Amino acid sequence: GGGATDVRTIKDDLYSRFIVAGGGGGGGLNSAGGAGGGTTGVQASGRGSAGSQNSGYSFGYGQSYGGGDGGGGGAGWYGGYAANGDVGGAGGSGFVLSASSVQYLPTGYKVDSSLYAQSSNMIVGNASMPTFDGTSTMVGNSGNGHVRITLAN
């Protein structure tokens, strides 16, 4: 599956992430993987659960192999599960630290309330979203992930 894109305060420390864009699940032999991002990733072909705000394969990681020719799970706040057989893996979830998301923080989390987002819009990868330059819209993204941060006045 695809890797997550995140913003964190400490390099290589999953417990310091405060913005996460979930990665999509990897494609299997006969179907595409599920989209990543949003509060819950997308399950592909009915196999392999997607990552959500409080559960998934693992905190920060998607499952790498489910068996046969199935795709791996995407990484995210919580990663998606891989699919067994020949279908795609599930996507990982996104996350934005805010007053309403603190209920999903794991033990050992290292970011304080000074980085709370006042507002956010997490869009799952199979939905319409602004293009990187903001001049149009697109559905999904292939290749490297993307996060847009706009400072409020």
Side-chain angles (χ1 to χ4, degrees):
T5 298
D6 65 56
V7 181
R8 57 181 86 187
T9 59
I10 303 169
K11 182 180 178 180
D12 299 328
D13 187 339
L14 292 174
Y15 292 87
S16 71
R17 301 177 303 161
F18 58 98
I19 299 174
V20 180
L29 180 65
N30 290 316
S31 70
T39 56
T40 301
V42 175
Q43 182 182 29
S45 303
R47 297 187 196 163
S49 297
S52 70
Q53 294 298 282
N54 60 356
S55 67
Y57 171 70
S58 178
F59 181 71
Y61 296 97
Q63 186 178 19
S64 61
Y65 181 68
D69 293 319
W77 180 247
Y78 279 89
Y81 282 88
N84 58 13
D86 59 1
V87 298
S93 63
F95 177 82
V96 176
L97 179 63
S98 67
S100 62
S101 68
V102 295
Q103 62 185 316
Y104 304 116
L105 298 180
T107 302
Y109 190 71
K110 299 175 182 172
V111 181
D112 64 38
S113 62
S114 67
L115 291 175
Y116 280 6
Q118 298 304 308
S119 66
S120 63
N121 186 16
M122 294 190 294
I123 303 170
V124 70
N126 62 354
S128 180
M129 64 188 78
T131 56
F132 299 150
D133 63 7
T135 61
S136 187
T137 59
M138 63 185 189
V139 175
N141 173 53
S142 61
N144 293 329
H146 187 82
V147 173
R148 176 182 291 179
I149 300 171
T150 304
L151 297 176
N153 292 333

